[in-house]
Structure formats: C-alpha cells, structure tokens
Amino acid sequence: MINLLHFSALAGSVLLYFRIGRFLFPELRKGLLIFSCLTLIISGVFSNQQIYTAFFSLIIVMVAMVIHWLKWHIVINGRGEFGVLYANFSFIPFLVFLIKRIGS
C-alpha cells in the first residue's frame, strides 16, 4: 500500500527535478524530461521505495546545480552534454527496480 506522505514526497521531488532540468538545461526537449520523470515515478511506485527514489532525484538535482555552478564559474571548460547525463541518471532507479524484480 502506498503511503500518501511518501508518494507526495516522490511527486514533489520529481516536479522539482523537471523544473530544475528545464531551467538548467534548456537544450533538452520537454518530452525527454517528462519521460525521465515518468520513469522516476514508475520505479518509485512499483518498487514501493518512494522515499529512496525521491532522495535519489533530489541528489540528481543537487549534482546538476553544482555542475551548472562550475560551468558558470568556468571551472569546467567546454560545452559538454550534461543535460543528457541529467536525463540518463533518472533511469538508474528503474534499472535497480528491474534487476530486483528479475532476481526475485
């Protein structure tokens, strides 16, 4: 059974993931970010690990903000494809859920 508090934490962190992703990486398509958000929500709900998935998405957001800050202060040179990396990190909880499901 899904705890309402855990699900609201997951939904809030995924919404923050989407908003920060649109702000920091405007070159990403909206559809890609929506798909990434859906994989976060699906992996959190079906694995019954909403809080851990919410924390993981917040960690992704914090890492993206640090990368953006480092690019702003010219510590990281070059353009880089950090937006694609940001979107790809959202699939890690989904892969963990699939591996856990196959193993049981």
Side-chain angles (χ1 to χ4, degrees):
M1 183 161 175
I2 296 177
N3 188 349
L4 186 61
L5 181 63
H6 292 176
F7 183 75
S8 62
L10 176 65
S13 66
V14 169
L15 179 65
L16 181 70
Y17 172 86
F18 179 78
R19 304 281 277 172
I20 294 294
R22 290 292 290 166
F23 178 72
L24 293 182
F25 307 108
E27 69 271 5
L28 286 179
R29 288 196 219 159
K30 193 175 184 179
L32 177 65
L33 279 174
I34 290 173
F35 184 69
S36 298
C37 291
L38 285 176
T39 59
L40 281 171
I41 289 176
I42 287 170
S43 63
V45 169
F46 286 139
S47 67
N48 204 16
Q49 302 292 329
Q50 294 92 15
I51 284 293
Y52 297 123
T53 308
F55 285 145
F56 184 77
S57 64
L58 290 176
I59 288 171
I60 294 172
V61 167
M62 285 187 265
V63 167
M65 293 170 77
V66 167
I67 288 173
H68 184 71
W69 183 83
L70 289 174
K71 280 174 48 178
W72 183 261
H73 290 286
I74 311 176
V75 175
I76 299 176
N77 291 329
R79 183 150 188 247
E81 293 296 325
F82 295 110
V84 175
L85 185 67
Y86 180 76
N88 285 336
F89 274 156
S90 69
F91 294 105
I92 292 174
F94 189 71
L95 291 175
V96 169
F97 164 68
L98 285 178
I99 291 169
K100 182 179 170 185
R101 179 66 75 183
I102 291 171
S104 61

